[in-house]
Amino acid sequence: MKTHENKLLFWTPRVAVIVLASFIALLALEVFIEPRIWEIHLIPTALVLIILAVTWKHEWFGGMMFILLGTASMIITLNHVDLILLISVPLLLAGTLLLVGWYTRKGIRRY
């Protein structure tokens, strides 16, 4: 049972971040009509994917960065509840799950 829980805590936040990055990239296609402007809208997707790549090796770093990114996104989109629910909350949940998974597997230890 413990191994199943560890696998669930390992894969759930990573899959959620991949789905979120796909959703953000899909939103970037909305401005595809204007030339070269859609590339700017893909920067958040690239940022999320870079953090996810680092997360695979350093889980605690990814957890902290996703929580920071979710908090910053929440502050920026304070007046838009729909954006907070669609982008900020999944980032905060993924960051929290990454930290919980890291803590249950390795725990906080001195380096």
Side-chain angles (χ1 to χ4, degrees):
M1 186 70 174
K2 190 78 168 169
T3 330
H4 178 68
E5 291 172 0
N6 283 344
K7 285 183 181 179
L8 191 65
L9 274 175
F10 182 82
W11 285 107
T12 303
R14 288 164 174 80
V15 170
V17 169
I18 291 171
V19 169
L20 180 67
S22 302
F23 177 70
I24 295 171
L26 186 66
L27 290 178
L29 293 178
E30 182 182 44
V31 293
F32 192 66
I33 298 169
E34 300 176 26
R36 311 254 327 149
I37 194 79
W38 62 276
E39 294 169 351
I40 295 171
H41 291 274
L42 287 175
I43 292 173
T45 303
L47 182 63
V48 168
L49 290 176
I50 288 169
I51 294 172
L52 181 64
V54 174
T55 298
W56 236 274
K57 182 72 173 161
H58 304 286
E59 208 169 16
W60 60 272
F61 176 78
M64 297 300 268
M65 290 306 294
F66 283 129
I67 288 174
L68 181 68
L69 197 61
T71 304
S73 173
M74 192 178 292
I75 291 170
I76 290 171
T77 61
L78 197 56
N79 294 328
H80 302 282
V81 177
D82 53 346
L83 289 177
I84 290 173
L85 291 175
L86 288 174
I87 296 173
S88 301
V89 171
L91 284 171
L92 291 170
L93 287 174
T96 305
L97 284 175
L98 283 167
L99 287 177
V100 168
W102 169 75
Y103 183 75
T104 57
R105 269 191 301 287
K106 299 195 178 176
I108 299 174
R109 59 178 187 248
R110 291 188 169 181
Y111 288 99

